[in-house]
C-alpha cells in the first residue's frame, strides 16, 4: 500500500451543524404580568370608566338644561299671556268713576236742572243730552252735564268734557245721584237723575 492510498482513504468531513429551535408545548404557562403592568392596566381601565361617566354626566346635564330652558320659555309665555288676559279683563270690566256736573252755558248750576224727572215736573224736556226748562214767554234755559269737571255753583266749570264717558263708567253727581251705571259695555239708566247714559252730549 502506497502513501497515496493512505491519503485517499481519509473519512469525509461532517457537514456543519445548524441551529435548533425549541417550541413551547400546550402545557407551558404564560408569564404573569408584573406588578407595575397590573397597576398600569388597572389605572387605564379606571381612567376609561371615569371618562365614560363624565361624558354621560355632561350629556345628562345638557339635556336637563335644554329641558329646563324649554319649560322656562313655555312658562314665561303662559305667564305673560295670563297677565295680559287678566289686565285686559280688569280694564274692560272695572268701571271708572266719573262725576257729572250740571252746567248752563259753561257755568256750574244746580244738579236738579239736569235731572230728567225734575225737568219734566217743571214743564221742560230733554233732547240730545240737553235739558230745557221753561222760563216764561216761550223761552227756555238749557242745561247739560259736564263729565269730570270741577267747580262751585256760579263758577265756570274747570276741565272735564261734555262728551259722555264710556258706558263702562259709573257716572254720578256730587250729591250722589246716579247718572249712568257702568257695566260690561251696557249703560244703565236712572229714573231719579239726569236722564240716561246719553245725557250730556252735544
Amino acid at each position: 500500500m502506497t502513501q497515496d492510498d493512505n491519503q485517499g482513504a481519509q473519512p469525509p468531513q461532517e457537514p456543519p451543524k445548524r441551529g435548533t429551535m425549541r417550541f413551547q408545548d400546550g402545557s407551558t404557562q404564560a408569564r404573569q404580568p408584573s406588578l407595575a403592568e397590573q397597576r398600569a392596566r388597572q389605572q387605564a381601565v379606571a381612567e376609561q370608566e371615569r371618562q365614560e361617566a363624565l361624558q354621560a354626566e355632561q350629556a345628562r346635564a345638557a339635556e336637563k338644561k335644554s329641558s329646563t330652558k324649554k319649560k322656562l320659555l313655555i312658562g314665561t309665555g303662559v305667564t305673560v299671556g295670563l297677565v295680559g288676559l287678566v289686565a285686559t279683563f280688569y280694564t274692560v270690566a272695572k268701571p271708572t268713576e266719573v262725576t257729572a256736573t250740571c252746567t248752563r252755558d259753561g257755568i256750574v248750576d244746580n244738579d236738579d236742572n239736569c235731572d230728567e224727572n225734575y225737568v219734566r215736573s217743571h214743564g221742560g224736556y230733554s233732547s240730545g243730552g240737553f235739558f230745557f226748562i221753561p222760563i216764561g214767554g216761550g223761552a227756555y234755559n238749557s242745561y247739560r252735564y259736564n263729565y269730570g269737571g270741577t267747580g262751585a255753583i256760579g263758577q265756570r266749570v274747570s276741565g272735564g268734557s261734555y262728551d259722555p264717558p264710556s258706558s263702562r263708567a259709573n257716572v254720578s253727581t256730587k250729591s250722589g245721584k246716579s247718572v249712568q251705571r257702568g257695566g260690561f259695555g251696557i249703560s244703565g239708566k236712572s229714573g231719579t237723575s239726569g236722564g240716561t247714559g246719553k245725557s250730556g252730549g252735544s
Side-chain angles (χ1 to χ4, degrees):
M1 183 179 294
T2 63
Q3 187 176 357
D4 291 338
D5 292 337
N6 290 336
Q7 290 179 351
Q10 290 180 355
Q13 295 180 356
E14 294 183 4
K17 293 183 178 181
R18 296 181 179 180
T20 59
M21 181 179 294
R22 293 184 303 171
F23 294 93
Q24 293 181 348
D25 57 19
S27 63
T28 305
Q29 294 183 354
R31 182 179 64 84
Q32 292 295 327
S34 66
L35 184 60
E37 290 175 339
Q38 292 178 9
R39 288 179 179 176
R41 186 177 301 172
Q42 291 174 355
Q43 289 178 356
V45 172
E47 179 64 19
Q48 183 177 358
E49 292 177 352
R50 191 182 71 83
Q51 290 294 336
E52 291 176 355
L54 181 61
Q55 291 175 359
E57 182 64 25
Q58 289 175 346
R60 285 194 297 269
E63 183 178 356
K64 184 177 180 181
K65 184 177 181 181
S66 177
S67 176
T68 303
K69 186 176 181 180
K70 288 181 181 178
K71 290 179 181 179
L72 181 62
L73 289 175
I74 293 172
T76 302
V78 171
T79 302
V80 171
L82 288 176
V83 170
L85 182 63
V86 171
T88 301
F89 173 79
Y90 277 106
T91 300
V92 172
K94 185 178 180 180
T96 302
E97 302 296 329
V98 179
T99 300
T101 302
C102 187
T103 64
R104 175 174 172 265
D105 297 330
I107 305 299
V108 178
D109 211 305
N110 193 309
D111 285 340
D112 287 341
N113 293 328
C114 291
D115 185 308
E116 190 170 5
N117 291 335
Y118 176 85
V119 170
R120 286 181 179 176
S121 68
H122 286 74
Y125 66 97
S126 64
S127 177
F130 286 82
F131 301 89
F132 300 92
I133 299 178
I135 57 176
Y140 290 83
N141 281 336
S142 65
Y143 304 86
R144 63 175 174 167
Y145 277 121
N146 174 285
Y147 301 96
T150 58
I153 294 178
Q155 295 179 347
R156 181 164 294 278
V157 68
S158 176
S161 172
Y162 289 101
D163 295 324
S166 165
S167 60
R168 294 189 298 270
N170 285 331
V171 184
S172 58
T173 65
K174 292 179 181 179
S175 60
K177 291 182 180 179
S178 177
V179 176
Q180 172 181 297
R181 187 168 292 110
F184 293 96
I186 302 175
S187 60
K189 294 184 179 181
S190 171
T192 60
S193 62
T196 68
K198 294 181 180 179
S199 58
S202 56

